[in-house]
Amino acid sequence: MKSAQEDQYLEFVAARAKALYRSAYVLAAGDTHLAEDLVQETLSRVYVHWKRVTGADSPAAYAQTVLVRTSLTLRRRRSTGERPIGNLPDSAAAGPDAALRLTLLDALGQLPPRDRAVLLLRYWEDRSIEETAQMLKLSSSAVRSQGTRALNRVRALLGDSLSDLVPH
């Protein structure tokens, strides 16, 4: 028979897995397999520390922090610089902004992992500078400067091509 804590964990997973996957997808620069691995690793780490997680103010924020840190750790551990040449989605993207989404993911994929993490937390997750700094173990000024540099790099990578993809 399952314990009450296991039931709580399963409810948490059911409620947060999709949001974690969306964040992982951005951190993995559109690599669906890596995103799935990141979510699985995150959820397993959260499970191991579930007693501590339930005592935290926000289990969702705790899991998000674990996800970002897992992503950065995984990038550091990779011993190969292998990158696929063609980045094709596993399935057709739905909606009128599919080309825009793929272009943005491609640009984000060219950023270093920490810059991508800063942009994800600040603009995708709409976190404050202080929250982002705490999650990434950086100073607030480092988050500001890294965020500014990363945004400038994305703008430089996209150039004028982005305006062609935005519906008028």
Side-chain angles (χ1 to χ4, degrees), residues 12-13 20-21 58 67 69 90 107 120 123:
F12 172 80
V13 169
L20 286 171
Y21 178 78
S58 172
L67 174 70
R69 289 182 183 165
D90 284 347
L120 167 84
Y123 302 105

Side-chain angles (χ1 to χ4, degrees), residues 4 6 30 43 57 77 101 119 141 144 165 167:
E6 286 177 352
L43 291 175
D57 290 340
R77 283 189 198 155
R101 186 177 304 126
L119 292 181
S141 60
R144 280 188 205 94
L165 299 172

Side-chain angles (χ1 to χ4, degrees), residues 31 63 77 79 86-87 96-98 115 126 144 152-153 155 164:
D31 183 340
R77 283 189 198 155
S79 61
N87 189 9
D97 63 344
D115 288 352
D126 199 28
R144 280 188 205 94
N152 288 336
R153 176 107 192 267
R155 287 181 184 123
D164 297 337

Side-chain angles (χ1 to χ4, degrees), residues 1-2 12 14 20 34 36 118 133-134:
M1 184 172 222
K2 294 181 194 174
F12 172 80
L20 286 171
L34 179 57
E36 291 168 355
V118 168
Q134 183 181 13

Side-chain angles (χ1 to χ4, degrees), residues 30 32-34 52 65 71 75 110 114 131 142 161 164-165:
T32 57
H33 302 293
L34 179 57
R52 182 174 12 158
T65 300
S71 170
R75 294 290 180 177
Q110 295 180 46
R114 185 161 308 250
E131 286 177 306
S161 66
D164 297 337
L165 299 172

Side-chain angles (χ1 to χ4, degrees), residues 70-163:
T70 300
S71 170
L72 293 172
T73 300
L74 182 65
R75 294 290 180 177
R76 277 187 229 119
R77 283 189 198 155
R78 283 188 136 170
S79 61
T80 178
E82 181 180 340
R83 292 185 178 260
I85 293 175
N87 189 9
L88 302 175
D90 284 347
S91 62
D97 63 344
L100 174 62
R101 186 177 304 126
L102 291 173
T103 302
L104 287 172
L105 282 172
D106 184 50
L108 287 171
Q110 295 180 46
L111 296 177
R114 185 161 308 250
D115 288 352
R116 204 168 36 244
V118 168
L119 292 181
L120 167 84
L121 293 171
R122 286 286 293 129
Y123 302 105
W124 181 272
E125 294 288 327
D126 199 28
R127 305 258 181 199
S128 69
I129 291 173
E130 291 74 23
E131 286 177 306
T132 303
Q134 183 181 13
M135 291 175 88
L136 296 175
K137 294 184 178 179
L138 297 171
S139 67
S140 296
S141 60
V143 169
R144 280 188 205 94
S145 63
Q146 238 177 331
T148 300
R149 279 194 309 259
L151 282 174
N152 288 336
R153 176 107 192 267
V154 167
R155 287 181 184 123
L157 288 168
L158 294 174
D160 293 331
S161 66
L162 191 60
S163 62

